Amino acid sequence: MNADERSERLEHLFRQTFRRVMAYCLRRASEAAAHDAVAEVYAVAWRKRRQLPAEDEEAVLWLLGIARRVLANQARSQRRWARLLMRVAERAEPDPPPAADPYGAEDAGNAGDGLAAALAQASDADRELLRLAYWDDLSRGDIATVLGISVGAVDTRLHRARQRLRQRLASANPHQDPAKEKDHAER
């Protein structure tokens, strides 16, 4: 495949996948951060277009993997920026304003939504795995590709993440019947 064909293929892939990549990013970041992330995803894809998988579905997973890394870089950058602001504020003022949460965890607790609050309390790894499985509706094999791990590791991590989520939900709503909760989780 020559350079022109790769470029055309990436343009075609962009038109096919933009909404899916944008939805993936919007579920993990604020709207502004998601737009920045999607732009960066396709910029990285353009630079790495020689590594573009031949199959369309593999290419989509490749883009979601890039999106995952871009969002992680954004989150790290935002944490560094927040730490810098805190250090500067400590020197200038006694009460610095809190840094914004890129995942909207603060809103989740305020909304009173038990699932959102439980997800907000989950580790980044658990939250990412559960989102890939249930929000992005990826198969175990697809999740393995996006995360760069084996299918067996996906199975183990997903099982443990669901257990921890169930525990958080149960502790948040102690009056819920555990049998109903288990039946619902197994569906």
Side-chain angles (χ1 to χ4, degrees), residues 68-154:
R68 180 175 173 268
R69 290 184 288 281
V70 165
L71 289 168
N73 287 340
Q74 279 184 344
R76 275 192 298 277
S77 177
Q78 190 166 6
R79 286 191 301 270
R80 283 192 304 269
W81 179 251
R83 284 194 303 268
L84 175 64
L85 288 178
M86 294 297 276
R87 284 196 307 260
V88 169
E90 285 172 355
R91 293 180 185 160
E93 300 173 16
D95 294 330
D101 181 1
Y103 295 105
E106 295 167 5
D107 295 337
N110 293 338
D113 182 11
L115 179 60
L119 278 172
Q121 293 172 359
S123 69
D124 289 343
D126 282 359
R127 193 170 35 245
E128 178 67 7
L129 191 59
L130 291 166
R131 284 177 171 164
L132 286 170
Y134 297 106
W135 276 264
D136 295 316
D137 200 27
L138 297 181
S139 70
R140 294 177 4 251
D142 292 348
I143 294 170
T145 301
V146 170
L147 296 179
I149 59 177
S150 70
V151 174
V154 169

